[in-house]
Amino acid sequence: MLGTVYKSTGSWYTVKTEDGSFYECRIKGKFRIKGIKSTNPVAVGDIVTFDLKEIGDEKVAVISEIKERKNYIIRKSVNLSKQTHIIAANLDQVFLLITLNNPPTFTSFIDRFLVTAEAYGIPVVLLFNKMDIYDDGEMVEVDYLVQLYKEIGYHCIDIAAKEGVNVELVKELMVDKTSMFAGHSGVGKSTLVNALEPGLKLKTAEISEQHLQGQHTTTFAEMYDLSFGARIIDTPGIKGFGIVDMDQDEIGDYFPEFFKLKSECKFNNCLHLDEPKCAIKKALENDEISWSRYRSYVQMVTGEDENYRVDIYK
């Protein structure tokens, strides 16, 4: 039987078949997919083959094969640096929710996420949430970030999920697609899903005042069929986002504004660090490239990558 994984709890997988039936499945032995050492071999969004087997008096569904993925979002596992974690597979797009504070989303996190999505060919829409709670000074900061990412070519939308502001714009982009919502805990992913589909009543939580940090309300990634012809994967809050399996010399290719200029560098293998006649450094000096983006790039290339695991709230 063939189906799509709608929920993964680590030991059980909820799989939906084409006729709309759901089966609770286990996996057979250890899966190794193209050498990916992953904490979760089967991810939400995977298309799998499974068999119904009778063990004693009960029927058990066992996944026997994972079909080839068109793409996936992957990150380093925060606690196991050698292991990776596949967040979801076979996506048409990702919505990354960003909040200026309550909790803060830093550009280094945004850039790591965007680089990974670029590497796997997944379009990202940036949703700047909680626009209803910012004061004038904070609005200026959000506007600056929106302009920064718009100029690079990313689709940005200001929203207030709790108030329903611009939720319709998000809805329009989701029709006939499988989308994933991602971001830190507390940025409003579940609130946005509830605004799009009130009947789901996903659990939401208040921000912890002490740490300005979101509480985990989604424990496992889960896909939902929405009434307006869309599928959404709601994911647990991501605290850190470490990039996986990228060579030093390819990271710059996943920064679209760097990629455009790289042919103008003197050296073909320019890493845009200390090399002479580097087009990216020149653009940086002329304020044509953002310093925050360049700083994110340098962190990734020089291996200062480990600070993605630092809990900034401690």
Side-chain angles (χ1 to χ4, degrees):
M1 297 176 80
L2 196 66
T4 303
V5 178
Y6 268 59
K7 188 174 184 179
S8 151
T9 64
S11 51
W12 285 96
Y13 303 89
T14 305
V15 177
K16 183 184 180 185
T17 57
E18 285 177 340
D19 69 2
S21 305
F22 284 93
Y23 292 86
E24 293 297 316
C25 300
R26 286 187 176 268
I27 54 173
K28 181 182 173 184
K30 283 192 174 179
F31 276 102
R32 284 278 173 265
I33 306 163
K34 288 185 183 170
I36 299 170
K37 281 187 178 174
S38 172
T39 54
N40 61 324
V42 181
V44 171
D46 270 331
I47 295 163
V48 296
T49 306
F50 66 98
D51 305 298
L52 288 175
K53 299 190 172 178
E54 290 198 16
I55 298 176
D57 295 337
E58 57 177 342
K59 273 190 176 174
V60 178
V62 181
I63 293 171
S64 53
E65 184 192 1
I66 301 167
K67 298 294 183 186
E68 191 172 348
R69 297 166 171 148
K70 74 172 180 181
N71 59 39
Y72 51 90
I73 283 277
I74 189 169
R75 67 174 182 134
K76 280 183 189 170
S77 285
V78 173
N79 299 325
L80 304 156
S81 58
K82 294 275 187 272
Q83 290 277 346
T84 59
H85 174 74
I86 297 166
I87 300 172
N90 299 318
L91 300 160
D92 294 314
Q93 62 191 352
V94 176
F95 291 92
L96 181 63
L97 276 81
I98 296 162
T99 45
L100 191 66
N101 46 42
N102 290 341
T105 308
F106 295 107
T107 50
S108 55
F109 174 83
I110 299 168
D111 296 337
R112 281 169 205 290
F113 194 95
L114 292 175
V115 160
T116 296
E118 289 282 345
Y120 291 93
I122 304 168
V124 179
V125 178
L126 300 179
L127 300 180
F128 291 84
N129 192 20
K130 305 191 182 179
M131 295 299 285
D132 51 322
I133 65 166
Y134 300 136
D135 62 28
D136 291 348
E138 290 165 337
M139 287 296 271
V140 170
E141 281 187 64
V142 175
D143 288 344
Y144 168 77
L145 286 175
V146 169
Q147 281 311 115
L148 190 164
Y149 289 104
K150 264 189 181 167
E151 279 173 23
I152 296 164
Y154 289 104
H155 191 165
C156 301
I157 304 175
D158 294 346
I159 65 166
K162 220 169 187 177
E163 307 299 321
V165 176
N166 285 344
V167 168
E168 284 302 316
L169 293 180
V170 178
K171 205 178 225 185
E172 285 166 24
L173 294 175
M174 292 172 64
V175 176
D176 296 330
K177 290 180 177 167
T178 298
S179 309
M180 177 179 112
F181 284 175
H184 294 315
S185 294
V187 291
K189 296 182 297 296
S190 298
T191 302
L192 180 55
V193 177
N194 287 337
L196 289 159
E197 192 79 277
L200 277 179
K201 295 188 173 67
L202 295 194
K203 196 173 154 202
T204 60
E206 295 303 311
I207 297 289
S208 151
E209 287 298 324
Q210 190 184 352
H211 299 302
L212 293 180
Q213 185 177 5
Q215 308 300 306
H216 281 289
T217 52
T218 308
T219 324
F220 304 105
E222 184 164 5
M223 179 140 62
Y224 300 94
D225 293 319
L226 305 182
S227 60
F228 53 93
R231 296 201 295 187
I232 183 68
I233 299 174
D234 188 28
T235 61
I238 304 165
K239 205 176 266 182
F241 200 94
I243 58 171
V244 176
D245 291 339
M246 286 185 204
D247 294 332
Q248 251 192 342
D249 56 359
E250 68 175 316
I251 292 170
D253 293 353
Y254 304 130
F255 284 74
E257 71 274 42
F258 291 19
F259 186 68
K260 268 186 208 163
L261 295 170
K262 89 173 204 178
S263 61
E264 295 171 30
C265 291
K266 182 180 179 182
F267 298 106
N268 286 338
N269 60 348
C270 185
L271 282 179
H272 323 308
L273 297 173
D274 306 311
E275 299 88 343
K277 296 190 178 169
C278 165
I280 276 80
K281 293 291 288 281
K282 187 181 173 188
L284 188 66
E285 283 158 18
N286 294 338
D287 284 334
E288 291 158 15
I289 279 177
S290 125
W291 279 95
S292 67
R293 290 277 287 170
Y294 183 71
R295 192 167 57 243
S296 294
Y297 167 77
V298 171
Q299 280 179 351
M300 292 181 218
V301 169
T302 58
E304 283 180 52
D305 204 28
E306 295 316 300
N307 63 1
Y308 78 89
R309 282 188 281 160
V310 175
D311 185 348
I312 57 165
Y313 302 103
K314 282 184 179 168

